[in-house]
């Protein structure tokens, strides 16, 4: 049963995150090449998606619905329809609206899938399997990357790619639809509600740690998003005529999945803040590599270092939310996700503005690398100022 829970969560996140959110990245060069949009509009579409993700996460934090599973299912259906819509409608205003709604839907699916699955795994005494859930975005990213290359070779238009990914999302959702039980999700919510009266008030020190964790987690959203949004475009500019750019996005996706699965091998008793420090440093090194070595080897290593900690950061962050708020963690998970969304919103406009000013992505990548170093410093400082007793860990 534990494996069924985490595999279903993995598939749900591959649809909502890997396809619903990040299919745009490998399809963006196709849309630019065929002239359906320019780079500035591409940046705004990315921002609309990240703004929707932020709004969806904030609604999750404020709403605190007891019926998370129905909302999860609605989010998956919305992801399918909006992905198909990107291929059917061809108006920039409609695209902006659909990318916004797709971001909101992915936030709902992420928050309620993570909450439901982690709660079930805790009840089944298998919390170490939580990392399997977060392999989903990476596998979805790899799938879109691997399929986009043959689409380009076959002369497909981007609209065909969007429709194909919508159909794939429908098939994957059908596989796991029955696994998410209304009763299971409702029961978890009821358990949280029944103990709300007994939750102890947080101390000022605990509130400070929550605040720092929310800020530090949000930094990760800004740190990775410029590379994750524009990687295929950056690679094609640096390596014109090369076949390598078709492989960088799948490398990133497989690295994401591998890193999430590898995180399951790390002890849940370890200080997750120290793991987060290492993950941020690894991503900073990945971004820096794409600046220092703008060649095939450099981009491949950059994708590897950026991808390995990508969803591992999410797993460690959600574990921290559960440590800080116990069974009442859903609202903190949503707040951290919203902070992550703010970081994502800021990235694409900054990148496009700096590209227009300098003619290169290098300045924006430098800002991203420095930001990740700041996030690593915040988490490491917490390990010194808010030490954990063995029982807390």
């Amino acid at each position: 049963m534990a494996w069924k829970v985490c595999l279903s969560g993995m598939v749900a996140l591959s649809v909502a995150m890997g396809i619903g959110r990040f299919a745009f990245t490998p399809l963006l060069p196709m849309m630019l090449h065929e002239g359906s949009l320019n780079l500035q509009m591409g940046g705004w579409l990315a921002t609309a998606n990240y703004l929707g993700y932020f709004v969806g996460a904030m609604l999750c934090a404020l709403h605190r619905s007891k019926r998370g599973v129905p909302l999860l299912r609605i989010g998956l259906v919305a992801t399918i329809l909006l992905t198909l819509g990107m291929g059917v409608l061809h108006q920039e205003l409609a695209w902006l609206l659909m990318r916004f709604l797709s971001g909101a839907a992915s936030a709902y699916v992420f928050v309620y899938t993570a909450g439901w699955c982690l709660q079930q795994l805790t009840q089944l005494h298998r919390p170490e399997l939580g990392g399997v859930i977060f392999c989903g975005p990476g596998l979805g990213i790899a799938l879109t990357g691997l399929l986009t290359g043959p689409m380009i070779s076959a002369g497909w238009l981007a609209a065909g790619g969007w429709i194909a990914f919508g159909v794939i999302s429908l098939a994957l959702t059908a596989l796991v639809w029955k696994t998410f039980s209304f009763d299971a999700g409702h029961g978890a919510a009821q358990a949280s509600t029944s103990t709300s009266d007994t939750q102890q008030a947080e101390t000022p020190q605990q509130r400070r740690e929550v605040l720092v964790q929310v800020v530090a987690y949000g930094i990760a959203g800004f740190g990775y998003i410029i590379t994750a949004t524009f990687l295929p475009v950056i690679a094609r500019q640096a390596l014109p005529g090369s076949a390598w750019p078709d492989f960088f996005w799948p490398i990133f996706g497989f690295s994401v999945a591998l890193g999430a699965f590898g995180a399951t091998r790390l002890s849940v008793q370890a200080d997750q803040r120290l793991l987060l420090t290492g993950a941020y440093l690894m991503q900073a090194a990945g971004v820096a590599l794409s600046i220092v070595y703008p060649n095939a080897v450099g981009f491949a290593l950059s994708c590897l270092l950026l991808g390995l900690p990508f969803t591992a950061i999410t797993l460690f962050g959600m574990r921290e939310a559960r440590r800080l708020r116990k069974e009442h963690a859903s609202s903190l998970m949503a707040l951290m996700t919203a902070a992550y969304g703010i970081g994502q919103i800021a990235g694409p406009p900054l990148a496009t503005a700096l590209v227009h000013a300098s003619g290169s992505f290098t300045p924006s990548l430098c800002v991203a690398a420095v930001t990740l170093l700041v996030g690593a410093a915040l988490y490491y400082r917490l390990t010194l100022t808010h030490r954990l007793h063995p029982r807390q860990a």
Side-chain angles (χ1 to χ4, degrees), residues 280-298:
Y280 278 46
L281 291 175
M282 187 180 295
Q283 284 202 323
V287 175
L289 267 176
S290 67
I291 302 169
V292 178
Y293 299 107
N295 53 39
V297 174

Side-chain angles (χ1 to χ4, degrees), residues 270-309:
D271 189 335
Q272 305 297 300
R273 300 167 304 177
L274 198 57
L275 296 177
L276 283 160
T277 301
Y280 278 46
L281 291 175
M282 187 180 295
Q283 284 202 323
V287 175
L289 267 176
S290 67
I291 302 169
V292 178
Y293 299 107
N295 53 39
V297 174
F299 283 127
L301 290 176
S302 175
C303 293
L304 185 67
L305 292 176
L306 195 69
L308 283 173

